[in-house]
Amino acid sequence: MFAGYDFDVIQRSWVYLFRDGMTFTLTLTALAMVGGIFFGTLLAMMRLSRFSILSYAAGGYVNLMRSLPLVLVIFWFFFLVPYIGAWLIGAKDPVKVGSFMSCLITFTMFEAAYYCEIMRAGIQSVARGQVWAGYALGLNYWLTMGKIVLPQAFRNMLPVLLTQTVILFQDTSLVYVISATDFLGAAAKVANRDYRLVEMYTFVAAVYFIISFSLSLLVKQLQSRIAIIR
Amino acid sequence: MISIKNISKWYGSFQVLTDCSTEVKKGEVVVVCGPSGSGKSTIIKCVNALEPFQKGEINVDGISVGDPKTDLPKLRSRIGMVFQNFELFPHLSVTENLTLAQIKVLGRTPDAARDKGLKLLDRVGLMAHKDKFPGQLSGGQQQRVAIARALSMDPIAMLFDEPTSALDPEMINEVLDVMVQLAQEGMTMMVVTHEMGFAKRVAHRVIFMDAGKIIEDCTKDDFFGAPRSERAQLFLSKILHH
């Protein structure tokens, strides 16, 4: 059945695939997750703010990002970020932004919208009385959020946050539209060079499956271990 | 110490408090009672600005609660509050619950805060549980920790919002005992409760509320002896006959 295929191509190229491609993919995933959760949490706090201008601004941003296809946003930012950068620092020429930086900014901003909705649910899952108790002790808004509400919100939402991160891990493969060399991109290059498309893409699929599936199992395990004693 | 003048409050178009006025002097224990929905929890939350009010004025130790310029966190840190559902922080240990605000708000050192917290924990008889999490304690124990947490801030007055309503009957007394002791030591207290035994024992005054209004505001003896309003008589006859 596999007579016409040459799986040696994997053996010849896997070092390159993982060293260049997977490093890009994992670094992008990890940094976009950290950045996305950070900005997503800020957005969630804005959305729940009693100042309507903040909540409308955050709500508008989240709805905009969630209404656009990710590929489009990647494209758009790739061409726009150099100009925005130039405008921000007042330079005449577009700023040179590497494809990795461009991807990182895109994914951070895009995922922030999704993490925002998760954190919003998390913050709302913490009983109103907890906020009252914090305020009653004299804690201000930031201390009440930072010491009481957010730690509980994170714990309640950790499984969902990680599930979203697994999705992010898969979505990073879309950077192929700007020819960035992530894991899939690296494999595509080898596949096209050696004309071994079926072999390479099968291998890539298997690797994505193993990583994503293991992460989901890990999430399930974590879920039972981190629950707050009530 | 606490003066409430002509307070009115609305949720949208629904009026929850109508022109309420009263005063709590230093060292006085005032019990607030009334049927559910009468606004007694709301008025006590107005005292430390957890609930905003639209009309009237509340002063605590001479500081106006409704004034936008008032440093609310600072004011609140001087008023202890105990909630119906305890509201201990479930992700922190008992000791951390007791020390968090002391360190972050009063700027005490962790050691000083711990000493103070453990002393109060000992006072409510829960020293053995200092390293546990709130979820590992019974309701009565949690409420005693919550009282110790409020006391750790050295408050000038204590507010209790139905502190025993969420407790199993056999745990009510352990909490009331702590409160009685506190009252006997001269703490200024405003207590929303249905525990008329507590009121009879330590209250100086009783306030009876119904439908957002203060119907009776009189000494304990007057209230239990001869309540003037029909509504209060009915209320008392209902809850005292069990």
Side-chain angles (χ1 to χ4, degrees):
Chain A
M1 182 188 169
F2 290 114
Y5 300 116
D6 170 21
F7 280 94
D8 275 356
V9 66
I10 295 163
Q11 214 201 328
R12 276 182 269 126
S13 62
W14 71 271
V15 174
Y16 164 72
L17 291 185
F18 281 94
R19 196 194 53 210
D20 286 28
M22 195 47 98
T23 309
F24 183 104
T25 298
L26 290 180
T27 317
L28 180 59
T29 305
L31 293 180
M33 175 188 78
V34 173
I37 291 178
F38 177 78
F39 287 112
T41 305
L42 280 184
L43 281 171
M45 286 161 68
M46 283 168 70
R47 276 203 94 161
L48 296 170
S49 165
R50 63 199 166 88
F51 302 108
S52 53
I53 186 159
L54 288 180
S55 73
Y56 278 120
Y61 176 83
V62 168
N63 284 325
L64 176 71
M65 280 298 170
R66 299 210 306 168
S67 311
L68 296 173
L70 178 52
V71 177
L72 179 71
V73 180
I74 295 170
F75 247 136
W76 194 60
F77 265 97
F78 185 60
F79 294 113
L80 215 64
V81 163
Y83 292 97
I84 296 175
W87 175 71
L88 280 179
I89 61 170
K92 237 181 16 234
D93 303 313
V95 177
K96 281 206 177 76
V97 183
S99 59
F100 180 78
M101 234 10 225
S102 171
C103 290
L104 180 57
I105 294 169
T106 310
F107 275 93
T108 302
M109 295 189 66
F110 191 81
E111 291 299 320
Y114 287 86
Y115 285 123
C116 163
E117 292 303 271
I118 297 170
M119 286 312 294
R120 182 166 73 133
I123 292 170
Q124 285 174 324
S125 75
V126 178
R128 183 95 185 86
Q130 289 283 302
V131 180
W132 276 336
Y135 284 162
L137 283 166
L139 301 176
N140 59 28
Y141 172 80
W142 293 102
L143 280 169
T144 305
M145 272 291 164
K147 294 283 172 189
I148 295 160
V149 178
L150 290 180
Q152 294 184 61
F154 271 117
R155 255 189 244 207
N156 293 346
M157 287 295 132
L158 195 59
V160 194
L161 288 170
L162 289 177
T163 304
Q164 180 64 33
T165 303
V166 175
I167 297 170
L168 165 65
F169 169 69
Q170 293 159 9
D171 282 354
T172 55
S173 60
L174 287 174
V175 300
Y176 87 94
V177 295
I178 57 164
S179 307
T181 311
D182 73 321
F183 188 62
L184 178 62
K189 279 181 190 165
V190 175
N192 285 313
R193 186 194 64 195
D194 297 356
Y195 203 62
R196 292 290 166 202
L197 297 162
V198 176
E199 294 87 335
M200 287 311 281
Y201 287 137
T202 310
F203 176 64
V204 167
V207 171
Y208 270 107
F209 174 79
I210 290 167
I211 294 178
S212 298
F213 191 66
S214 318
L215 281 174
S216 326
L217 288 182
L218 197 75
V219 171
K220 261 198 199 125
Q221 281 224 315
L222 262 177
Q223 211 159 1
S224 52
R225 288 188 38 203
I226 50 126
I228 299 172
I229 309 159
R230 287 188 193 278
Chain B
M1 178 77 71
I2 301 170
S3 96
I4 300 173
K5 276 185 216 138
N6 309 105
I7 287 295
S8 292
K9 178 180 170 63
W10 289 263
Y11 285 122
S13 61
F14 179 68
Q15 187 159 12
V16 273
L17 293 176
T18 309
D19 206 22
C20 297
S21 298
T22 188
E23 199 158 336
V24 182
K25 293 192 192 69
K26 191 168 169 8
E28 204 174 22
V29 177
V30 174
V31 163
V32 184
C33 61
S36 51
S38 60
K40 53 197 192 307
S41 283
T42 309
I43 203 168
I44 207 170
K45 286 200 182 83
C46 284
V47 172
N48 64 353
L50 290 180
E51 291 276 9
F53 47 90
Q54 283 81 28
K55 255 170 92 178
E57 201 184 332
I58 298 180
N59 282 287
V60 177
D61 201 24
I63 298 163
S64 168
V65 175
D67 187 341
K69 288 193 286 288
T70 298
D71 182 355
L72 278 182
K74 191 175 170 197
L75 179 65
R76 286 173 179 144
S77 73
R78 301 174 64 208
I79 313 168
M81 179 141 195
V82 175
F83 297 88
Q84 183 175 356
N85 294 314
F86 330 135
E87 303 301 351
L88 294 178
F89 306 130
H91 60 300
L92 300 177
S93 74
V94 166
T95 307
E96 287 166 334
N97 264 281
L98 289 163
T99 56
L100 175 70
Q102 288 190 67
I103 297 168
K104 296 289 172 189
V105 178
L106 301 181
R108 289 181 182 153
T109 64
D111 283 341
R114 198 181 148 81
D115 284 351
K116 175 93 187 174
L118 292 183
K119 216 161 78 190
L120 287 161
L121 196 61
D122 192 34
R123 188 179 147 174
V124 297
L126 293 170
M127 197 54 152
H129 303 284
K130 65 180 164 57
D131 296 319
K132 287 191 180 165
F133 283 86
Q136 295 168 302
L137 303 180
S138 73
Q141 290 170 332
Q142 287 191 52
Q143 195 62 299
R144 278 145 67 199
V145 173
I147 294 173
R149 180 176 71 177
L151 289 175
S152 74
M153 302 294 284
D154 293 321
I156 54 171
M158 288 280 285
L159 309 174
F160 293 83
D161 184 10
E162 304 206 30
T164 56
S165 299
L167 294 175
D168 290 337
E170 76 264 31
M171 294 172 185
I172 290 176
N173 279 331
E174 62 186 76
V175 172
L176 287 180
D177 285 346
V178 173
M179 290 169 60
V180 167
Q181 203 194 347
L182 205 55
Q184 283 164 351
E185 284 168 17
M187 174 62 80
T188 309
M189 292 162 71
M190 194 166 172
V191 186
V192 174
T193 186
H194 294 296
E195 294 296 331
M196 289 302 124
F198 172 81
K200 279 182 179 163
R201 250 177 99 184
V202 294
H204 298 108
R205 272 178 32 237
V206 178
I207 291 172
F208 176 77
M209 291 184 72
D210 188 31
K213 294 194 186 84
I214 292 180
I215 308 275
E216 303 249 353
D217 183 351
C218 53
T219 65
K220 165 180 67 177
D221 295 333
D222 283 350
F223 184 74
F224 289 111
R228 275 159 292 183
S229 70
E230 216 174 291
R231 192 68 192 81
Q233 284 167 13
L234 190 69
F235 177 78
L236 276 180
S237 73
K238 271 184 185 157
I239 63 168
L240 289 180
H241 283 176
H242 296 291

